[in-house]
Amino acid sequence: GSVERSAARCVQWIGPPKPPAALPPPPRPPQSEVQAARKQELLIQRLSSAQGAMQVAALQLLRAELGLSHVRIVSLTVAFPSGEEGTMRLQMVPDEAMPVTLLYWLRQISAGLWDGARFHRKAPHVLQASLGTRFRQFRLALASRAETSLSVPFQEYNASWPHEQYTVGLAGRPGGPDWYISKQDNTRNHGPGSQNPDAVLLGEADPCFAKMKSGHDVLDKIYRLPVKGDSLDPPLRIVKMRLERASENS
């Protein structure tokens, strides 16, 4: 009698007994080497497919915005400290070879973003250009097109256009907006698997998208300017960069 009533009161106060906690799910068996290799293969296929789709879209945009052209040439005028000017002409690779990089860079040229920029770095192997104070305008131009990336979406590279002497490449990983002219053969320095351990794993390279057509004497003159370390002192001003019309490409 009294024992049962006490037990009933305890149940009312404490509450009914709780069910046992659910056991955690058993750990997944370790992924086999075959499964891991297959997963990596699929990821590579998906990435390659996405990059190919970007290249097709970029090629269409490039030609829609800049027209069809067998040869695209950018003229680049610099102002030396003496007041003298010099011009170099850079010939782009064919549109089909590097459409993402060409669209990215030639949009900047067409918008005049490199007018008033500078060559700031004069290393033995590269002459590098940067936007300097023009960087804010670069960001605003991106925003006007609803773009958010300051760089190319991936390290586009075409083995038919290696980083030979006098070629033009995008600096950085991911590349851009800085770019450089190779003063020497940089096939190993900037080609596949160069620059950092991640690039070795991925086989990445700097995009190489143009080569000097003329103005080699101007480049040689730049290399005679004074430096501090590997920096030009003072930086060399880029007066203007223009995408030439087809009739000028001679």
Side-chain angles (χ1 to χ4, degrees), residues 94-106:
D95 292 352
E96 298 85 351
M98 301 284 290
V100 173
T101 304
L102 288 177
L103 179 66
Y104 168 81
W105 199 69
L106 292 177

Side-chain angles (χ1 to χ4, degrees), residues 21 52 93 173:
V93 302
R173 300 291 172 90

Side-chain angles (χ1 to χ4, degrees), residues 135-226:
F135 192 74
R136 182 174 179 274
Q137 284 86 345
F138 174 66
R139 295 188 71 108
L140 290 173
L142 287 179
S144 70
R145 294 195 299 266
E147 296 180 22
T148 57
S149 177
L150 302 178
S151 307
V152 286
F154 67 96
Q155 294 298 103
E156 188 177 36
Y157 182 76
N158 189 317
S160 298
W161 303 92
H163 289 271
E164 297 173 345
Q165 187 179 27
Y166 301 125
T167 54
V168 183
L170 288 181
R173 300 291 172 90
D178 283 16
W179 53 273
Y180 57 84
I181 299 173
S182 286
K183 188 65 167 62
Q184 64 186 36
D185 189 311
N186 284 313
T187 304
R188 293 186 63 184
N189 290 337
H190 297 282
S194 62
Q195 299 290 309
N196 60 56
D198 289 345
V200 175
L201 288 174
L202 298 172
E204 282 187 339
D206 288 351
C208 184
F209 59 94
K211 190 167 187 175
M212 287 187 65
K213 182 177 176 66
S214 63
H216 299 78
D217 57 325
V218 176
L219 182 63
D220 291 340
K221 185 173 181 178
I222 294 172
Y223 264 77
R224 293 194 291 269
L225 294 174

Side-chain angles (χ1 to χ4, degrees), residues 12-13 29 36 44 50 61 89 107 130 142 158 199 223 230 238:
Q12 291 173 353
W13 179 61
I44 292 172
L61 285 170
R89 298 173 76 225
R107 274 178 167 175
S130 69
L142 287 179
N158 189 317
Y223 264 77
D230 65 357
I238 296 173

